[in-house]
Amino acid sequence: MKNDEEIMTAEEFFGGIESDRGLGSMSSPRRRRGRTKKTFADIKARMVMRIYGVTRAKAERIISDRAAEKVAVLAAAKAPGAVDDCASDDDELMSAEEFFRG
């Protein structure tokens, strides 16, 4: 063991690369073939299917019914004569300066 300080390259230490066949796959990302593009609507339908244990058609019907209910509730809230959740004209507004002064 005369030359303990001889430096070896990684290729020499590990034996080198036998073939260049696998080098191309390392530089580019893997592509997933055969998978459908997952959209938000698709994911939402799958989630409803799993939660309620129903078919895709039934899940999509549940989603559309709930969306229609939301639209109806919002329309009723904006109807003339509906009470606003905002402060009415009778309430007096206080500035932040007045509030923190006490």
Side-chain angles (χ1 to χ4, degrees):
M1 289 215 193
K2 290 182 185 179
N3 292 332
D4 286 338
E5 297 196 21
E6 185 177 327
I7 298 175
M8 297 178 70
T9 63
E11 189 173 339
E12 291 173 342
F13 182 76
F14 291 113
I17 299 173
E18 297 296 325
S19 69
D20 293 336
R21 183 174 172 204
L23 290 178
S25 65
M26 297 294 187
S27 63
S28 64
R30 293 183 190 177
R31 292 185 182 167
R32 295 182 180 176
R33 295 179 187 143
R35 286 196 173 193
T36 59
K37 184 178 180 182
K38 292 183 180 179
T39 60
F40 179 72
D42 182 46
I43 293 170
K44 188 174 9 175
R46 286 182 188 194
M47 186 170 55
V48 171
M49 288 168 59
R50 286 183 183 168
I51 291 171
Y52 293 106
V54 295
T55 63
R56 178 174 286 278
K58 178 71 176 172
E60 290 173 349
R61 195 172 326 125
I62 290 170
I63 292 168
S64 66
D65 289 346
R66 290 197 178 168
E69 288 175 14
K70 281 185 181 180
V71 169
V73 168
L74 289 174
K78 294 193 182 222
V83 178
D84 287 337
D85 288 338
C86 299
S88 65
D89 293 335
D90 297 336
D91 294 335
E92 186 177 322
L93 295 177
M94 181 184 292
S95 70
E97 186 177 313
E98 293 172 342
F99 178 78
F100 287 111
R101 252 192 275 155

